[in-house]
Amino acid sequence: MNITIEKMNRSHISEIAEIERECFSSPWSENALSEELDNPNARFFAAVAEGKTVGYVGVHSVFGENYIDNIAVTSLYRKKGIATALLKFLEATARDEGDLFISLEVRKSNEKAIRLYEKLGYKRVGERKRFYTMPTEDAVIMTKELKK
Ligand code: COA
């Protein structure tokens, strides 16, 4: 399967909002996603396969620090390396910019996402108690240093 990673543009927004609704209890709306198109600190990338948007990653980047807001792949396209491709693309972009690190929070129970990040070299660096709602849950903070 051919996957392309594209900088998010208006044509991706409705399908990304659909992926958000499928994957998260507090999904980002189309409006919230559209606002990121004009945000100079945002790096949002879409994964496109078979003519549709099947995954995305959204990051906020300030002074060389990258914070992942969300990453998701629609269920029919999971376990095909799409999240890996998105994260590798993000990392290459961050390295090109000379950035310091990429960091994220993940629900403590989300073992498959934690495995994904560990496989790509992210380390557990801490926890945030009761970070998530619906349901309430602690977050694990995972970070990949880029300068080492
Ligand atoms: N069970 C166990 N490990 C899994 C897994 C699963 N169902 N899915 C992914 N992984 C881990 C494995 O280590 C996998 O490597 P492998 O295929 O060699 O075993 C690695 O992640 C890479 O998988 P990949 O195919 O690139 O991931 P994906 O495209 O399926 O996307 C998620 C992974 C987590 C983004 C996807 O399951 C998803 O969208 N989940 C719902 C949203 C979510 O939880 N986002 C994370 C928020 S922090």
Side-chain angles (χ1 to χ4, degrees):
M1 189 181 45
N2 192 27
I3 305 160
T4 56
I5 308 296
E6 302 172 2
K7 190 172 182 297
M8 183 175 78
N9 62 47
R10 279 198 195 283
S11 75
H12 302 117
I13 298 277
S14 68
E15 285 171 321
I16 291 177
E18 206 175 309
I19 296 169
E20 278 280 313
R21 289 192 293 276
E22 177 195 337
C23 297
F24 300 111
S25 58
S26 308
W28 282 39
S29 65
E30 288 195 28
N31 276 347
L33 289 162
S34 299
E35 280 172 18
E36 299 299 338
L37 295 173
D38 302 319
N39 179 351
N41 295 324
R43 293 180 190 158
F44 279 54
F45 300 109
V48 175
E50 297 171 334
K52 57 185 179 219
T53 307
V54 296
Y56 93 103
V57 62
V59 176
H60 285 104
S61 179
V62 195
F63 300 124
E65 302 180 359
N66 292 274
Y67 296 95
I68 296 181
D69 294 298
N70 255 347
I71 177 165
V73 174
T74 190
S75 52
L76 278 179
Y77 285 82
R78 288 184 191 159
K79 287 290 277 169
K80 297 178 192 301
I82 292 176
T84 301
L86 282 162
L87 288 169
K88 285 189 170 167
F89 193 92
L90 167 68
E91 186 176 325
T93 306
R95 284 188 188 280
D96 283 350
E97 295 291 328
D99 288 350
L100 300 169
F101 64 76
I102 304 173
S103 189
L104 58 94
E105 287 97 8
V106 54
R107 283 183 184 269
K108 220 171 177 176
S109 65
N110 194 348
E111 286 172 17
K112 57 187 179 180
I114 291 172
R115 221 168 281 167
L116 161 74
Y117 303 131
E118 282 177 341
K119 203 169 169 191
L120 290 170
Y122 289 71
K123 307 281 183 224
R124 293 171 190 245
V125 296
E127 287 191 4
R128 293 192 208 286
K129 293 290 171 199
R130 303 170 67 80
F131 181 77
Y132 292 103
T133 55
M134 293 196 298
T136 302
E137 189 176 350
D138 297 348
V140 177
I141 306 168
M142 300 189 73
T143 299
K144 181 163 186 178
E145 303 281 344
L146 301 178
K147 293 263 164 140
K148 284 184 177 166

